[in-house]
Amino acid sequence: KNEVEQSPQNLTAQEGEFITINCSYSVGISALHWLQQHPGGGIVSLFMLSSGKKKHGRLIATINIQEKHSSLHITASHPRDSAVYICAVSSPGGSGGGADGLTFGKGTHLIIQP
Amino acid sequence: DTGVSQNPRHKITKRGQNVTFRCDPISEHNRLYWYRQTLGQGPEFLTYFQNEAQLEKSRLLSDRFSAERPKGSFSTLEIQRTEQGDSAMYLCASSLSPSPLHFGNGTRLTVT
């Protein structure tokens, strides 16, 4: 079982819809990251959070430490939001390696149709 | 802040050849990471530097792989005697902990 599980794997929605991507993890963490990856490979960090909720523009990220669960929401979705969204956890000493011990989920491939 | 730069963007090589990739991190970042990503998967950790010291290597990093970060600035990742299974996107990221990682655009390697 992967330490970080995302759902759904693929999501196609119409422009304007409210989008939710879920992430569950099985290890103790110091922080959870939501990342966005566009075709061509570049990854952009969207959020880094260890509790509660963060909001940036139309994006909202929440985390429930007790339930080991996080969600990424996109309000008023737009075709430019089409990308792969990756959940990753910082777990020092975990399988992710490095001082930040970052372990990644497989990503959710989101397509927003006009 | 010019971001993390990786070169080349794409590399096609024949099996058995050696390849070298370069990563230029954000200048003040002391931590540098290399990851490998195959199609449909999330990135997998390869190795990590703090300044010039290589502090950790994944078991994914076989003897054919070597990484350096001379003077704690840019880093290189070399793959010797490439195999078709080495075909992947190689991602570099840097950080000034505890800030989030900043990723480069990656080097896509195709081994024919």
Side-chain angles (χ1 to χ4, degrees):
Chain A
K1 185 182 189 303
N2 290 333
E3 293 177 351
V4 181
E5 296 277 359
Q6 285 185 239
S7 63
Q9 279 189 289
N10 297 285
L11 178 57
T12 300
Q14 294 299 120
E15 182 174 357
E17 286 189 38
F18 182 81
I19 303 298
T20 296
I21 299 171
N22 296 299
C23 176
S24 297
Y25 53 93
S26 58
V27 295
I29 68 169
S30 55
L32 184 140
H33 306 251
W34 281 103
L35 310 164
Q36 181 190 58
Q37 186 171 31
H38 281 283
I43 293 177
V44 174
S45 179
L46 299 175
F47 295 104
M48 174 176 155
L49 67 164
S50 54
S51 65
K53 177 179 175 178
K54 286 190 176 181
K55 184 176 190 292
H56 185 247
R58 294 180 295 106
L59 301 178
I60 304 166
T62 64
I63 187 168
N64 184 318
I65 296 293
Q66 286 73 30
E67 295 187 2
K68 294 194 164 97
H69 181 269
S70 175
S71 293
L72 176 69
H73 305 286
I74 306 174
T75 62
S77 59
H78 189 276
R80 64 175 174 265
D81 297 326
S82 299
V84 176
Y85 292 84
I86 302 172
C87 172
V89 297
S90 295
S91 179
S95 64
D100 298 296
L102 211 56
T103 303
F104 298 82
K106 292 184 178 182
T108 295
H109 188 193
L110 175 66
I111 297 173
I112 304 296
Q113 296 177 334
Chain B
D1 178 358
T2 57
V4 178
S5 177
Q6 289 189 246
N7 288 289
R9 289 297 311 277
H10 303 274
K11 179 70 177 178
I12 300 173
T13 191
K14 291 185 178 178
R15 189 176 54 190
Q17 297 294 305
N18 299 343
V19 294
T20 299
F21 311 140
R22 177 177 171 128
C23 171
D24 288 273
I26 293 172
S27 58
E28 65 269 23
H29 285 185
N30 59 344
R31 292 180 174 174
L32 187 147
Y33 297 79
W34 283 99
Y35 297 94
R36 183 174 68 186
Q37 185 179 27
T38 53
L39 199 62
Q41 302 295 316
E44 295 175 295
F45 169 75
L46 291 179
T47 190
Y48 152 67
F49 291 85
Q50 179 142 325
N51 300 311
E52 68 275 9
Q54 187 175 19
L55 296 186
E56 192 169 346
K57 293 195 294 185
S58 162
R59 63 181 184 278
L60 293 175
L61 216 65
S62 74
D63 291 345
R64 297 184 297 106
F65 288 70
S66 62
E68 294 182 343
R69 192 183 182 196
K71 302 177 184 177
S73 55
F74 71 92
S75 176
T76 58
L77 177 67
E78 181 183 15
I79 308 175
Q80 297 182 327
R81 305 181 303 282
T82 53
E83 302 172 356
Q84 286 188 319
D86 297 331
S87 295
M89 175 76 82
Y90 290 85
L91 292 161
C92 175
S94 69
S95 75
L96 185 64
S97 188
S99 66
L101 295 183
H102 293 252
F103 285 82
N105 286 326
T107 294
R108 183 171 296 283
L109 173 66
T110 302
V111 181
T112 62

